[in-house]
Amino acid sequence: FTYSTPTQQHNTHTNTHTMEPQIRHYTKADFIETKTGNKVSRQSVLCGSQNIRMQGNSIIMPGVVVRGDLAAIAIGRFTTVGKNSVLRPSYKRFKGDIAYFPTQIGSYVTIGDSCVVAAATIGSHVAIGANSIVSRGCVLMDCCCVEPGTVLPPNSVVPPYSIAFGHPVRIGGELSEGFQEEQEMLAMDAYSSFRAGP
């Protein structure tokens, strides 16, 4: 599963809405499909699954680790977590101890392969490119983009319609007004094109 951010796709295609999504087949025995349509790889690790809430129509790819054993993690609809990524709650140090806090991830979020995400909050319509690190306490507002390979230091805030990129990170650029609709469509296509093989 390779994911290109909407800004990359916009640069290569003039109109992403007319493109048909490429069908990606998976072996049915390799994924668990829940009543709400979530597709969770049997090769993923969901620690503390009773603390992991997925609203539906989301995909957890092979090699993903979700650390619900540390604190609650809520994931919205049509969210894809790419291969070998790690989702864990945000934390703070208090007098030598570590306190973990619940994490909220919105809907229509795409997290690329091999990311480490410990954000406090990720809004809806957010694209996180492959090999990115979103450190503890970060807040990614609705409709923003983290380019591949970006490292967000602790407690960073990525405002709506902005792009975070690089290491050290820079936050700039401005996403088009159509980004929300484009990201929603990409997230829904990622789900609908991911089908059990024949």
Side-chain angles (χ1 to χ4, degrees), residues 4-71:
S4 57
T5 61
T7 53
Q8 292 169 318
Q9 290 193 0
H10 182 71
N11 291 338
T12 56
H13 307 293
T14 54
N15 187 351
T16 57
H17 300 291
T18 60
M19 293 186 58
E20 288 295 317
Q22 182 179 352
I23 303 299
R24 298 171 295 129
H25 290 284
Y26 64 89
T27 305
K28 189 172 176 101
D30 292 345
F31 280 78
I32 298 167
E33 187 162 352
T34 68
K35 290 179 183 178
T36 56
N38 296 309
K39 299 172 184 179
V40 180
S41 170
R42 292 182 187 275
Q43 296 174 352
S44 63
V45 178
L46 276 59
C47 304
S49 57
Q50 70 279 8
N51 292 328
I52 301 168
R53 300 280 179 256
M54 297 173 68
Q55 287 186 359
N57 301 100
S58 291
I59 303 170
I60 303 292
M61 296 298 282
V64 169
V65 177
V66 183
R67 295 296 309 270
D69 58 324
L70 301 173

Side-chain angles (χ1 to χ4, degrees), residues 87-108:
L87 301 183
R88 62 178 180 230
S90 186
Y91 66 92
K92 286 187 180 177
R93 296 184 193 279
F94 290 106
K95 300 177 183 175
D97 242 359
I98 295 177
Y100 290 93
F101 300 96
T103 296
Q104 178 74 40
I105 299 173
S107 297
Y108 310 106

